Amino acid sequence: MTYLQLKTDKLPTLVAALNSLLANYTVYHQKLLRFHWNVRGENFFELHEVFEKLYQSPALKIDAIAERIQTLKYRPLSMLHQYLEKATIKEKDTFRNDREMVQEVLEDQSILIKNLKDAIQAAKMAEDDATIYLLSSFLLELEKNSWMLFTWLSKPVSSNLNEVVAMQ
């Protein structure tokens, strides 16, 4: 047991899951910034705003995950090459049209959802209720964002994203 009353033999698995999550959120954050800066097309105004809202959230999560790893008395990944090596979300060097960008965000969110569920499972094994609570809140927000983007993507090309965002 640690000073946090956790199962110490389960912490390496939990920290590995958290570092994977940290790496994925870091790459995801950068991709959202890139999409925000480079979106083009008839949905520019809507997507530019939505990508801005989306990229603000991972920055806070990155910090919270790294601090949680520190709380567990481990070191978080902190170098770009480490994130790129560890992340299952990958950078892509070609620009996408607006709908392809939303599809790619959904694919990345799906990876994050699985990553979050894996980390929550590892936290359960370590009896780490605080990490479970933290990650569950991330999962709830991410699932809602995915639903909204999926709803927008399933509409005809001329649909207005502001209508979808207004549902938030």
Side-chain angles (χ1 to χ4, degrees):
M1 290 281 194
T2 66
Y3 73 105
L4 299 174
Q5 303 300 308
L6 304 176
K7 291 186 175 181
T8 55
D9 62 321
K10 303 296 182 186
L11 290 181
T13 301
L14 173 57
V15 170
L18 290 172
N19 268 319
S20 176
L21 189 60
L22 180 63
N24 277 324
Y25 262 114
T26 300
V27 175
Y28 174 68
H29 177 252
Q30 185 58 44
K31 283 176 79 173
L32 289 169
L33 282 169
R34 182 172 181 244
F35 288 169
H36 171 73
W37 296 329
N38 292 292
V39 68
R40 304 282 186 270
E42 67 182 72
N43 295 308
F44 168 80
F45 290 106
E46 294 92 353
L47 282 176
H48 186 74
E49 184 178 319
V50 167
F51 288 146
E52 182 174 3
K53 287 179 183 176
L54 288 175
Y55 78 64
Q56 291 171 349
S57 179
L60 299 172
K61 289 169 178 50
I62 289 165
D63 187 55
I65 294 165
E67 288 179 352
R68 187 64 192 165
I69 293 169
Q70 291 276 12
T71 301
L72 297 173
K73 298 292 187 193
Y74 285 80
R75 288 242 180 235
L77 299 177
S78 59
M79 298 183 70
L80 291 176
H81 76 89
Q82 293 173 317
Y83 297 140
L84 293 172
E85 290 168 8
K86 183 80 171 166
T88 51
I89 292 176
K90 299 299 179 191
E91 290 185 307
K92 294 185 181 169
D93 61 357
T94 57
F95 285 96
R96 311 272 184 260
N97 70 40
D98 53 359
R99 294 180 67 80
E100 290 171 331
M101 286 177 173
V102 171
Q103 181 60 46
E104 191 166 329
V105 170
L106 279 169
E107 290 167 9
D108 292 347
Q109 287 179 344
S110 180
I111 291 169
L112 284 168
I113 287 169
K114 179 175 182 343
N115 202 185
L116 280 162
K117 289 180 178 183
D118 290 346
I120 289 168
Q121 187 59 38
K124 286 179 183 176
M125 299 301 291
E127 298 180 2
D128 183 355
D129 294 332
T131 299
I132 294 167
Y133 176 79
L134 176 72
L135 300 182
S136 294
S137 69
F138 295 177
L139 183 60
L140 183 64
E141 179 185 324
L142 193 59
E143 287 179 346
K144 183 177 180 181
N145 287 336
S146 292
W147 161 65
M148 291 185 175
L149 290 172
F150 178 80
T151 301
W152 178 82
L153 195 59
S154 64
K155 290 185 175 187
V157 173
S158 63
S159 65
N160 185 342
L161 188 58
N162 280 330
E163 295 170 11
V164 177
V165 174
M167 295 183 344
Q168 290 189 17

